Amino acid sequence: MKDIITMKGRLLLFDKPTSNKTLFPKDCEIAYAEKVPVVWEFRFNDPGSVMGSGYVMRDEKGLVCEAEITPSDVIVDILREFDGELPIGGYYSRVKSHQGNHLRVFDSGCLTCIGVTLSPVDEEYRMRVVEKGEENE
């Protein structure tokens, strides 16, 4: 097993309601550090839950991330179960939002961590292992 695996994937989609009735419009303001911790089930206050770190980039569709993960037996099992993917989501602090059309509409906030979770709010929120040569695609 490798010491570190590189993964890349979709963390957020703009203008698409999530299963937990949240909407991130394209013009929302999202701050994030240069490196964001990747943690198990959003347990960002538990040092034992930290799995690695990720770089976040904003594109026209939302947020994508590239992460370096230290694999464990649990991660290997999840990768097998989810066909080489890790379901993910973002945890946001300092959130400003409003209600609109039965949705919590996100105006601004700060991405605190990337959570590897078995219950993502959107099926498209997943990271895949990056094969050698794919890093800059």
Side-chain angles (χ1 to χ4, degrees):
M1 186 183 319
K2 296 180 187 176
D3 291 332
I4 292 179
I5 55 175
T6 302
M7 303 194 77
K8 191 172 185 178
R10 176 64 55 193
L11 181 61
L12 176 69
L13 286 167
F14 293 138
D15 298 325
K16 181 180 178 187
T18 65
S19 62
N20 66 355
K21 307 239 184 283
T22 302
L23 178 74
F24 290 78
K26 196 171 203 163
D27 64 351
C28 68
E29 296 177 28
I30 302 173
Y32 43 87
E34 183 178 346
K35 276 183 142 178
V36 178
V38 177
V39 300
W40 176 248
E41 289 292 347
F42 305 102
R43 296 182 193 144
F44 54 89
N45 288 325
D46 175 8
S49 294
V50 176
M51 305 164 67
S53 60
Y55 297 94
V56 178
M57 295 135 295
R58 187 177 181 126
D59 66 12
E60 68 282 347
K61 293 180 182 179
L63 299 179
V64 293
C65 63
E66 185 168 319
E68 294 179 336
I69 305 286
T70 303
S72 65
D73 291 341
V74 171
I75 293 302
V76 170
D77 289 345
I78 295 169
L79 287 168
R80 283 188 189 119
E81 182 181 342
F82 287 92
D83 199 25
E85 298 179 334
L86 290 180
I88 59 173
Y91 182 87
Y92 301 88
S93 61
R94 301 190 313 254
V95 171
K96 292 185 182 172
S97 64
H98 66 276
Q99 287 298 120
N101 285 343
H102 307 289
L103 297 170
R104 180 178 180 203
V105 180
F106 188 95
D107 298 313
S108 65
C110 181
L111 177 66
T112 302
C113 72
I114 298 166
V116 174
T117 177
L118 299 179
S119 304
V121 297
D122 193 298
E123 280 301 310
E124 293 167 286
Y125 295 179
R126 297 179 177 277
M127 289 191 297
R128 269 200 150 304
V129 175
V130 176
E131 300 298 329
K132 209 169 185 104
E134 288 183 313
E135 288 92 354
N136 296 322
E137 290 182 8

